[in-house]
Amino acid sequence: AQSVAQPEDQVNVAEGNPLTVKCTYSVSGNPYLFWYVQYPNRGLQFLLKYITGDNLVKGSYGFEAEFNKSQTSFHLKKPSALVSDSALYFCAVRDVPTGGFKTIFGAGTRLFVKA
Amino acid sequence: GAGVSQTPSNKVTEKGKYVELRCDPISGHTALYWYRQSLGQGPEFLIYFQGTGAADDSGLPNDRFFAVRPEGSVSTLKIQRTERGDSAVYLCASSPQGGSTDTQYFGPGTRLTVL
């Protein structure tokens, strides 16, 4: 069965510092991996995805994520955090082909960026 | 362009009542998904439509939950004999073609409260 773990409920970082939000996954096939961000009273917004190819994926708002097959991880990173990055971040996985189109989400990590 | 919209934004009902939640996907998107998000959790997959048909309804928790998409556009999630445990935010998402690499675009959600 496919699963996603976000080991940190909350990440605190100072503005201007690099940030990392961790994600590990478990699938039986090849994973398709996604990051979404959720702001208060708004829907989830797509940040980036890994399908195949280069392990380093670049996405919206300066975010990037690195797919590491041996560690089954897909950590989200940004070189310099902004206060406006403060939000709830979700990692998600699709187990292709065994899981079909079902997307499994992690429980989320709340990011606080302090000025 | 217009994103995914959901109505109502909030719904309060009494235990045992019937509710309908509506989702208007992005125009032209053939795939539509319903998720349920409980407090402190990530979205939980409920059902996936490709066109008018439910391609995967394995996430529906029991037979009190049902969803339709009769014309391949708007979808309605129907919950019979609501229970307090049904209280959650119900999210709808759409994607252009429904392929496993598709990005899903989420609506703002309907917050359902069962008293």
Side-chain angles (χ1 to χ4, degrees), chain A residues 32 36 49 94 101-103 106, chain B residues 42 58 98 100-104:
Chain A
Y32 290 171
Y36 285 85
K49 64 183 177 183
R94 283 183 207 146
F101 304 108
K102 181 184 297 186
T103 304
Chain B
S58 62
S100 54
T101 61
D102 256 15
T103 297
Q104 295 176 30

Side-chain angles (χ1 to χ4, degrees), chain B:
Chain B
V4 177
S5 62
Q6 293 185 246
T7 54
S9 55
N10 282 283
K11 176 69 176 178
V12 180
T13 191
E14 295 180 342
K15 180 176 178 294
K17 298 292 187 182
Y18 168 84
V19 296
E20 291 189 352
L21 312 179
R22 175 188 170 107
C23 172
D24 279 89
I26 293 172
S27 178
H29 281 194
T30 62
L32 185 146
Y33 311 78
W34 283 100
Y35 293 85
R36 177 170 68 176
Q37 187 175 17
S38 300
L39 193 63
Q41 299 296 318
E44 174 191 8
F45 170 82
L46 295 178
I47 187 169
Y48 157 61
F49 286 91
Q50 180 60 261
T52 59
D56 184 350
D57 64 357
S58 62
L60 295 177
N62 51 59
D63 61 6
R64 295 187 297 106
F65 288 74
F66 189 72
V68 296
R69 195 185 185 201
E71 297 178 357
S73 179
V74 171
S75 176
T76 304
L77 178 66
K78 308 180 180 190
I79 310 174
Q80 299 177 323
R81 305 184 303 280
T82 52
E83 300 177 356
R84 291 192 180 89
D86 298 335
S87 296
V89 176
Y90 289 81
L91 299 171
C92 176
S94 70
S95 70
Q97 297 167 336
S100 54
T101 61
D102 256 15
T103 297
Q104 295 176 30
Y105 297 88
F106 283 81
T110 293
R111 183 176 299 278
L112 175 65
T113 304
V114 182
L115 302 177

Side-chain angles (χ1 to χ4, degrees), chain A residues 22-66:
Chain A
K22 296 180 180 178
C23 172
T24 59
Y25 65 90
S26 176
V27 298
S28 55
N30 292 320
Y32 290 171
L33 295 153
F34 303 80
W35 275 101
Y36 285 85
V37 59
Q38 188 173 40
Y39 296 98
N41 300 317
R42 296 174 65 178
L44 276 77
Q45 295 179 33
F46 170 76
L47 280 179
L48 50 81
K49 64 183 177 183
Y50 172 81
I51 303 300
T52 188
D54 194 345
N55 289 342
L56 183 64
V57 179
K58 294 187 182 295
S60 306
Y61 312 120
F63 284 93
E64 58 188 30
E66 186 166 13

Side-chain angles (χ1 to χ4, degrees), chain A:
Chain A
Q2 49 189 322
S3 64
V4 176
Q6 294 183 242
E8 303 154 316
D9 290 337
Q10 184 172 311
V11 170
N12 298 308
V13 64
E15 187 174 35
N17 283 0
L19 70 86
T20 298
V21 182
K22 296 180 180 178
C23 172
T24 59
Y25 65 90
S26 176
V27 298
S28 55
N30 292 320
Y32 290 171
L33 295 153
F34 303 80
W35 275 101
Y36 285 85
V37 59
Q38 188 173 40
Y39 296 98
N41 300 317
R42 296 174 65 178
L44 276 77
Q45 295 179 33
F46 170 76
L47 280 179
L48 50 81
K49 64 183 177 183
Y50 172 81
I51 303 300
T52 188
D54 194 345
N55 289 342
L56 183 64
V57 179
K58 294 187 182 295
S60 306
Y61 312 120
F63 284 93
E64 58 188 30
E66 186 166 13
F67 170 62
N68 188 317
K69 188 172 183 177
S70 63
Q71 297 186 6
T72 62
S73 68
F74 190 57
H75 301 330
L76 182 69
K77 300 182 179 184
K78 187 173 182 180
S80 179
L82 299 172
V83 172
S84 58
D85 292 330
S86 299
L88 188 55
Y89 290 81
F90 291 97
C91 181
V93 67
R94 283 183 207 146
D95 185 356
V96 183
T98 58
F101 304 108
K102 181 184 297 186
T103 304
I104 303 299
F105 284 81
T109 298
R110 189 165 297 278
L111 174 67
F112 286 102
V113 181
K114 185 176 180 180

